[in-house]
Each structure stands twice: as structure tokens, then as C-alpha cells.
Amino acid sequence: MKITHARLRQWVDECAALCQPDTIHWCDGSEQEYRWLVQEMLDSGALVPLSQEIHPGCYLHRSHPNDVARVENRTFICSRREEDAGPTNNWMAPDEAKSLLTALFSGCMQGRMMYVVPYLMGPADSPFARVGIEITDSAYVAASMRVMTRMGDIALRQLGEAGSFVPGLHSVGELDPERRYICHFPEERLIWSYGSGYGGNALLGKKTFALRIASAIARDEGWMAEHMLILELSDPAGEKTYFAAAFPSACGKTNLAMLVSPLEEQGYTVRTVGDDIAWMHIGDDGRLWAVNPEAGFFGVVPGTSRQTNPNAMATMQANTIFTNVAVSDDGIPWWEGKDEPPPTPLTDWKGRRPWSGEEPAAHPNSRFTAPAAQCPSISSHWEDVQGVPISGIIFGGRRAHVMPLVVEAFDWRHGVFLGATMASETTAAATGASGVLRRDPMAMLPFCGYHMGDYFSYWLKMGKRLTNPPCLFHVNWFRKDEDGRYLWPGFGENVRALIWMRERIAGRGQATPTPIGLVPAPDALLLEGLDLAPDALRELLTVDAAEWRTEANDIERHFARFGDHLPQALADELTSLRVRLATAK
Ligand code: GTP
Ligand code: SPV
Ligand code: MN
């Protein structure tokens, strides 16, 4: 396709002059091109074929062992003013970032190919879709972008001769962790990423554009870019309710979006609209309408089985790039939590054969990259150009204690407080220690492209603009008993919490007020067919006032970080919580 967009051509020329690739390839997004990319990687060893009989079109990629997750400490918001990045982001002055990375990018593609990857975030022809262009020297990134986005000519057509696009320059560099920088220039709507080939660091449509840059664009334009799955719940009357849910990385979004309802016979089914990111706009009806900007899933593999997530298993059966899983001699991928025991001999994610058994065989953040259209539970509305109308927003985290199974906010403002004070144990999705409890507001701590305090204000403002706002909730599938066992079975059974939320939205379900919000009244949860000890249920719904008084103190410290950017309304919510707790048992 002829490139008629002058600024695009100019930017590509500038990047080529800087990086000095041997050749430049403009990706058209065709099947034939994808096959060529795969062949190049098979030849170079970047991909290993899996059993083409059992897993047609499936390959294994082993990333560099020092490059297996997002790097939050190497991720920067390069706004002109440091204050605009806020206390939760790393900041670097734009000039400093530009000169530092210009030196790194200089000549970095010598002897290599530069791929120009045009891509569309959002359904084709949607008024909410946006164009990005990623320049990369990684065939793995180019191939992954074809799965994860609508890539190639389709994006160039949408761009036309003068449309706007978000440019992103990426090089794997020398994969030196000390020379790894993921830089965002929110005012310029520009991304520069150097030194990583992994996931959210390198597939620039995802976290860097669709969340960090898009959150800044959305604030300026009156919409929302959120780290949320989107799902469709059908009830026995055939009515559909759409939920968006924000859980931190590796805390259950993909699983909830794809859940198989144990209550299908009773008429409750779930369909998938998106598993990671929601772009939401206010409709003429005063409701919030969400599109999934992505076209594929970059999902966590460990823990996925026919038992826990059969839809994900079916999705990754074919045409999937696996990253950092283990593999048997006959090309069958394996990971911790798969239904079958490990085959022997097994080659671990680092390529060591046989697997010693001392460390996990698959990396805890190993992933599958697969087209969304392959998901058996994909909703017939997943590519609707106007999106789907959201009736419930769910926040959630991974908390062994304190937080009940499900809570409904008293109103929007209180719901924003629940989101702003969310906490969760860290996971392998980012480098650093796992299992450390941290506040992760709206699951956006690593992804908000501007000051988090201003982001809270923006949420409050959106609530005022929505004449028909969604109800807000908080869930926790991960509460544990004294012996460290999960109290709640999770996965498909989570539909029971969704059904209660759906009933609340419809003005029917029964709730009991607690100091922290409304929990299901005794017997309000549909538990038919579930073998759950009455004690476990009681504990799952317990709000312990003493624990929560300690929690309130921690929330005060959390809020203190935001200084005078903290909206007064949220400080008032904390005061109200303390008042309610003071009179509680
Ligand atoms: P990102 O892709 O990093 O954003 O993660 P995610 O939020 O989509 O998380 P995902 O659904 O991939 O789940 C992460 C891990 O949590 C997997 O190992 C799942 O098996 C596990 N998990 C998901 N849902 C549940 C649940 O309801 N209960 C329990 N116990 N584990 C769960
Ligand atoms: C996450 O960490 O939230 C992910 C994976 O979805 S990554 O694309 O690497 O950010
Ligand atoms: Mn995610």
C-alpha cells in the first residue's frame, strides 16, 4: 500500500536515520506476511515449533531470562513538569530522556531489519478506534502485534492522508537490564522503548499506548482508558448485563472474562468481550459504553487448565505463540497447573533438558498470545463499533485477609474510594518481589500516564457526567483461611458473585450494610450446587472492624502521598469510613 501520510513518512525516515537498519519492512498484516515472519524466526531460532499435529500454528518463544516481565522501575512518564507524573510514576525530563535514548537508539538496528507496524486499537470503523505505528527491530514483536491488534493496511486505511497516530519506537537493543528504558511522552503522545523484547514493555499497543498514553488522551477528551476486562452476563430472562472489572496484573481478569458458568442450565452464561483493557465513552443515553481496543489475548499460562479455564485452553489450542513455557520432546507445551502431570523428559522455559524440578518448569509469567476470535466464549458483540453498555464496574485484588468476597459501594463517590484504596499482593507480571501487599488504585498503579491524584478527580468528574452510571463493586477471590487455603473456589464459581451484582443493579438482590459497603445478605448469594462450608461463607463475608481500623490508618498514609492533588471527596470518604467503624463491633 502506498504511504501518502507525509508526517508518517517523515517520522519513519527520521527513525531509520537514527537506528540505521539494513532494510525497512512495512507490515501489511497479511496471512502470508505472518507466515514469513514465523519462518524467519524458526530459521533464527527465535521460535521453536510445537507439535503441529496437536497444536497447529503454535510456536514457543523463549525470551532472554533477564527479560520476562514488565519492568516498573525502568518505566518513565516524561511529562514536561515532574509534578504531572505524580508520586506513583518514575519521571524523567523529556529532554533528558530524548538525549539518553537517542544515544542508545543510534545505530542500534545496524545489520537488522526495521519493521514498521501500523495498527488499530479498537474495532475497525469504530469512532473510538485509534491508530498507532510501532517501529521495531523484533520479528517476535511484529508477529505478536498481528495477533494482538488489527495490524497493517487496515490501520493505514483508517489513518488516511492526514489522520493522527501514536508513534512508538522500539528496539530490543542489547537486552541489558541496565540499558532498558520504557519512556512515555504524554504531551507529545509518543513512546520510546529500548532494551526489552517482552510483553508490555515491547508490544507498544498494549500498556504503553492503550493505557499510559490513552489515559492522558482520555482525560483531555472526556473518556476513560482502564485496565479492565469486559464481560457479558446473560440471565434466565435472556437479559444481558455488561461488567467491566479492574484487577491488577495476574489477578484474574482473563479468567473472569472467560468463565464457564456452573449455572448454565439455570440460564446464567458468561461471554467474553475483552480480557485486559477497556476504552469507555459516555453515550447519548448517559451510560458508559466500552470497547476492547485489542484483538488478541496475552494471557498468563500457569494455573490455566481445562478445570480452571477451558475457554482459554481452547483459545490457545492453535495459532498461538507461547512465551516461556516448558515443552516435551514431542512438542507439547507444559506449565504448572496444567491438567496433566509433567511429561518426561521435559525441557524447561530456559531450554534446559531435562528439567531439574527445582524451579518452576514454566516461568510464572509465561504467556500465550492468541487471537480473541478463537475464544469459544467470545461475545457476538465484542467488535460492536459503539461498544457495550456497562452496568457494573468491579474492582478487585488478591488479598489473603481483610477484604470480603464481594462488596457494593453506597454510591459512585464511595465506589471511587473503593477503587482508589484497592490493595493487592504483587505477582510475577512485573519484576520484583511477588506476594507483597501494595495499594494499586483501580489496578492502574503501573499504567496511569499522569498524576494519580488527578486521575481520582477525573473519576469523580466522570461520575457527575454520567446520568446513568454503572454500580460499583469490589471483589476478592483470594481470601484464605488460617491454614493458608483459599476460602472460595473461584474460577467458574465466581459467576455467583456476578449474579448477586446483577440482582443489585436490577434493584432486587438483598444486601447487608457494613462500615465498608454492602455485602450480600444471608441467603442472597445463589449457592445452589456449591459445596461450601457455612463457616467459610461467613468468613468470606466478614468485615472485621478492628482490622478495618488498621486498614483505615494505612489508607490515610496511602492518601498522604498525593498531597493537595487528593480530592477532598476521597478524604471525606475516609472520615466517613472511620465514623462508621467507630460505632461498629
Ligand atoms: P494480566 O494478564 O497480567 O493482566 O492478568 P489477569 O488479571 O488477566 O489474570 P489471570 O486471569 O491470567 O489470572 C492470573 C492467575 O490467577 C492465574 O494463575 C489464574 O489461574 C489465577 N486465578 C484467576 N482467577 C482465579 C480465581 O478465581 N481463584 C484463584 N484461586 N485463582 C485464580
Ligand atoms: C499485565 O501485566 O497487566 C499484562 C501483561 O497484561 S503485559 O502485557 O506484559 O503488561
Ligand atoms: Mn494486564
Side-chain angles (χ1 to χ4, degrees), residues 148-172:
M148 294 303 297
T149 71
R150 286 123 180 132
M151 187 253 255
D153 289 349
I154 185 175
L156 289 179
R157 273 196 296 277
Q158 171 117 358
L159 185 63
E161 283 187 17
S164 69
F165 65 94
V166 170
L169 175 59
H170 168 254
S171 171
V172 292

Side-chain angles (χ1 to χ4, degrees), residues 207 227 249 253 276:
K207 297 306 171 38
H227 189 202
S249 302
K253 289 182 301 300
D276 199 50

Side-chain angles (χ1 to χ4, degrees), residues 211 224-233 240-248 251-254 256-258 270-281 287-293 387-397 406-407 412 415 419 422 442-444 455 459 466 469-475 477 497-498 501-502 505:
L211 289 178
M224 304 172 96
E226 299 294 334
H227 189 202
M228 293 179 179
L229 69 89
I230 308 165
L231 69 79
E232 175 188 298
L233 173 71
K240 292 179 164 65
T241 305
Y242 292 93
F243 289 92
F247 309 157
C251 290
K253 289 182 301 300
T254 300
L256 188 67
M258 294 184 188
V270 166
R271 291 288 174 265
T272 312
V273 177
D275 84 323
D276 199 50
I277 299 176
W279 282 0
M280 304 192 287
H281 292 75
R287 288 194 288 180
L288 204 49
W289 290 74
V291 294
N292 168 13
V388 295
I390 301 296
S391 304
I393 290 180
I394 308 169
F395 300 114
V406 52
V407 182
W412 182 273
M422 256 169 72
M442 283 83 173
M444 284 288 277
Y455 171 78
W459 263 84
L466 286 163
C471 298
L472 305 188
F473 301 91
H474 189 289
V475 301
W477 316 138
L498 291 175
M501 291 184 251
R502 189 260 166 291
I505 290 163

